[in-house]
């Protein structure tokens, strides 16, 4: 399994990036979000998903793990293939997609080419809980709106500590994010103490 490819970006179009690593040029299918993020760069690191089919071996590249995790979730939904998932990640950022799923906004998802009403509803039903469990919805507080960025290191350490104490990851994450959004500079110990008072 290829985890990521790091090397020289030799060719780039809105749909395909060619990265040379170890003398081999890898052609990676990318979303518009990844295209925008790596445009103008000489060296890139793209996280990889390999789609191995009878007739082809296709690589998909992602600018970060969050985008890849969202892609992997999308292709688990019946009726959503790899190209449709890439189209969705081209039409919306991961944060916007999480926002639409968590708030049940099927109309927003239907705006993406190739997504009908039934598929949009299936995506929401299938993925609403999963985006929280996997931590993809970091950008979204309980209210469903996109939030200001938080200190990921503090957030991850606080969630890990609380999980080790026996608290479930999903509610823990929600509480930790709320604390960090109201107190962005709080240290890990403070976040954990406050969370212990709030987690039900």
């Amino acid at each position: 399994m290829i985890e990521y490819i790091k090397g020289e970006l030799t060719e780039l179009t809105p749909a395909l990036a060619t990265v040379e690593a170890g003398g081999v040029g890898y052609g990676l299918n990318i979303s518009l979000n990844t295209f925008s993020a790596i445009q103008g760069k000489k060296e890139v690191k793209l996280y990889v998903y390999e789609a191995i089919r009878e007739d082809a071996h296709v690589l998909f590249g992602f600018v970060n793990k969050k985008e890849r995790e969202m892609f992997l979730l999308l292709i688990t939904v019946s009726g959503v293939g790899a190209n449709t998932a890439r189209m969705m990640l081209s039409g919306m950022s991961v944060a916007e997609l999480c926002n639409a799923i968590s708030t049940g906004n099927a109309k927003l998802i239907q705006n993406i080419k190739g997504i009908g009403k039934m598929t949009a509803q299936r995506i929401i039903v299938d993925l609403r809980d999963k985006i929280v469990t996997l931590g993809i919805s970091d950008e979204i507080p309980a209210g469903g709106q996109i939030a200001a960025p938080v200190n990921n290191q503090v957030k991850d350490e606080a969630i890990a500590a609380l999980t080790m104490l026996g608290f479930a990851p999903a509610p823990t994450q929600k509480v930790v994010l709320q604390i960090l959004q109201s107190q962005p500079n709080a240290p890990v110990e403070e976040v954990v103490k406050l969370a212990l008072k709030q987690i039900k």
Side-chain angles (χ1 to χ4, degrees), residues 157 159-167:
E157 286 178 19
I159 291 170
L162 289 158
T163 306
M164 280 191 277
L165 290 171
F167 294 100

Side-chain angles (χ1 to χ4, degrees), residues 16 95 155 200:
L16 190 76
K155 182 204 74 181
K200 300 289 184 286

Side-chain angles (χ1 to χ4, degrees), residues 38 102 114 128 151 155 164 184:
I38 64 174
S102 67
R128 189 178 256 164
N151 184 325
K155 182 204 74 181
M164 280 191 277

Side-chain angles (χ1 to χ4, degrees), residues 29-49:
N29 290 285
I30 56 170
S31 70
L32 281 176
N33 285 322
T34 292
F35 170 75
S36 301
I38 64 174
Q39 206 172 6
K41 292 188 178 179
K42 288 182 179 173
E43 293 277 322
V44 295
K45 176 181 177 180
L46 293 177
Y47 291 92
V48 173
Y49 167 72

Side-chain angles (χ1 to χ4, degrees), residues 168-182:
T172 299
Q173 171 142 330
K174 201 179 274 187
V175 169
V176 167
L177 280 169
Q178 286 169 346
I179 292 166
L180 283 170
Q181 275 147 20
S182 59

Side-chain angles (χ1 to χ4, degrees), residues 39-197:
Q39 206 172 6
K41 292 188 178 179
K42 288 182 179 173
E43 293 277 322
V44 295
K45 176 181 177 180
L46 293 177
Y47 291 92
V48 173
Y49 167 72
E50 296 173 85
I52 300 169
R53 300 195 290 260
E54 284 180 24
D55 59 339
H57 186 165
V58 185
L59 298 176
F60 290 85
F62 307 92
V63 71
N64 54 42
K65 286 185 177 181
K66 281 264 161 67
E67 190 186 25
R68 182 174 65 178
E69 283 169 12
M70 178 56 85
F71 175 89
L72 292 173
L73 281 182
L74 288 168
I75 61 175
T76 65
V77 178
S78 176
V80 179
N83 282 323
T84 304
R86 180 172 64 152
M87 183 81 71
M88 292 183 73
L89 288 165
S90 294
M92 300 168 83
S93 69
V94 173
E96 288 165 341
L97 205 42
C98 282
N99 198 20
I101 292 167
S102 67
T103 56
N105 192 339
K107 279 189 177 172
L108 196 58
I109 296 172
Q110 279 173 249
N111 286 339
I112 298 163
K113 185 184 170 195
I115 302 292
K117 187 177 179 183
M118 293 294 288
T119 305
Q121 288 172 344
R122 204 179 294 126
I123 289 166
I124 289 165
V125 171
D126 287 4
L127 303 186
R128 189 178 256 164
D129 292 336
K130 290 180 185 175
I131 59 170
V132 175
T133 308
L134 280 176
I136 298 176
S137 61
D138 288 1
E139 299 92 340
I140 300 165
Q145 294 305 307
I146 295 169
V150 298
N151 184 325
N152 278 328
Q153 190 180 346
V154 171
K155 182 204 74 181
D156 291 344
E157 286 178 19
I159 291 170
L162 289 158
T163 306
M164 280 191 277
L165 290 171
F167 294 100
T172 299
Q173 171 142 330
K174 201 179 274 187
V175 169
V176 167
L177 280 169
Q178 286 169 346
I179 292 166
L180 283 170
Q181 275 147 20
S182 59
Q183 301 180 46
N185 299 318
V188 176
E189 309 80 50
E190 184 68 19
V191 173
V192 171
K193 279 180 191 171
L194 291 167
L196 286 170
K197 293 174 187 171

